[in-house]
Amino acid sequence: MGAAVHSLTQAKAYRAIQARKTPKPRRRTERMLERTRAVVEELTGVNPTKSAIWMSLRRRKAATLTQKFCAYAWRSLHEGYKLGRYWDNIDGLRNDRMPCLECEAPVESMDHILRECRVSGQETVWKLAKEIWAETGLEWPYVTVETVLGVGLLTVKDENGKVLKGRTRLLQILISESAHLIWCLRCEWRIGRGRDLSQLHTEPEIRNRLRAAVSKRLRIDWALANKQAYGRKALNARVVEATWYKVASGRESIRSDLVAPGVLLGSASSRRPRGRNR
């Protein structure tokens, strides 16, 4: 019979229109989804559904994956970035933009940027990420572009098969922040610095960028674990402590002054001040 006009909202009407229009599957998206499912199954032993992969990029609970990374991963799942084979059918730009000239790779794919490229800073980023993870004493997984896109479904388990929530969060944070930083470094050098080899990001600069990104995540966790400020919406303090246990006190990994006694637990002394200057 249709919908009552007096109770119909724009949001409801839009959802109804979307439900009636089923988009055709994209071949590139379906191919990337299948590859991601296979890698996640190999690492976790569970074969996720396609919807589970999409939902892992929309989940904001526990503040594990940032919105910027999720937008990057969503577009990468669709193979929507203008790189690699995107330029294959564009005359005049194919020979200049499709390959990675600096690495002499025929196609500059996302996997090449994240794992093989010599100008994206990926080697330094992953090396530091492994150093941070080494503080946990656990094995670092083999990271590919499919691992990055399915990072929201990765889990870390103990010897008895129990999921370690803290270590799972830390692994997801390290992989997501590292991959997004590599992509940003590549774009900064290729676009902002005009592919000038004399202006490549230096190793100290790259290491400082990753340290700053991970330290920022630590500060956010510290702030969101304050129950006096956020009440029931606050992060579980035990999970936050388990996430940064041993890692926050590392020698070079993360600033240790951010985890003073009582900070992660949201003590009264760390309560957010009132007013616009809080």
Side-chain angles (χ1 to χ4, degrees), residues 71-251:
Y72 156 77
W74 182 88
R75 192 168 180 179
S76 297
L77 275 170
H78 285 294
E79 294 190 9
Y81 283 108
K82 296 181 180 180
L83 53 85
R85 297 197 179 278
Y86 172 86
W87 305 102
D88 192 18
N89 298 321
I90 302 179
D91 295 333
L93 297 176
R94 181 189 304 111
N95 296 331
D96 181 58
R97 299 192 179 185
M98 187 176 76
C100 181
L101 301 178
E102 293 72 24
C103 300
E104 299 182 355
V107 178
E108 186 192 29
S109 63
M110 187 63 70
D111 189 62
H112 170 78
I113 294 172
L114 294 179
R115 298 196 304 127
E116 302 170 352
C117 188
R118 296 197 298 263
V119 297
S120 65
Q122 54 85 20
E123 185 176 0
T124 302
V125 171
W126 292 123
K127 181 180 178 181
L128 180 55
K130 291 178 182 178
E131 291 176 3
I132 298 175
W133 182 252
E135 299 289 342
T136 65
L138 299 173
E139 183 180 359
W140 177 261
Y142 183 71
V143 177
T144 61
V145 64
E146 294 82 10
T147 311
V148 172
L149 300 181
V151 66
L153 299 175
L154 298 184
T155 56
V156 179
K157 300 180 180 179
D158 60 10
E159 299 176 352
N160 299 324
K162 181 180 178 181
V163 177
L164 303 175
K165 294 183 180 180
R167 291 314 183 206
T168 297
R169 286 190 77 244
L170 179 62
L171 180 64
Q172 293 176 352
I173 290 173
L174 287 178
I175 293 179
S176 61
E177 292 293 341
S178 299
H180 188 252
L181 175 60
I182 293 171
W183 172 247
C184 291
L185 292 174
R186 176 264 181 193
C187 294
E188 287 177 10
W189 177 77
R190 191 177 180 94
I191 302 174
R193 304 187 181 185
R195 300 174 64 175
D196 187 355
L197 291 176
S198 64
Q199 297 186 32
L200 284 173
H201 296 86
T202 62
E203 182 174 348
E205 180 183 0
I206 297 173
R207 294 178 70 93
N208 289 336
R209 291 273 295 269
L210 182 59
R211 286 199 193 99
V214 179
S215 294
K216 180 180 179 181
R217 298 301 306 274
L218 174 58
R219 291 195 298 271
I220 293 175
D221 275 2
W222 156 70
L224 294 181
N226 192 331
K227 288 188 176 181
Q228 294 185 1
Y230 297 100
R232 293 182 179 180
K233 294 184 179 180
L235 292 181
N236 189 324
R238 293 184 178 180
V239 175
V240 174
E241 284 186 310
T243 302
W244 303 105
Y245 177 66
K246 290 186 178 181
V247 177
S249 58
R251 293 178 296 276

Side-chain angles (χ1 to χ4, degrees), residues 48-61:
T49 62
K50 296 178 182 179
S51 60
I53 296 176
W54 292 119
M55 290 302 297
S56 68
L57 300 178
R58 297 182 61 182
R59 190 167 55 242
R60 291 292 177 267
K61 189 176 180 180

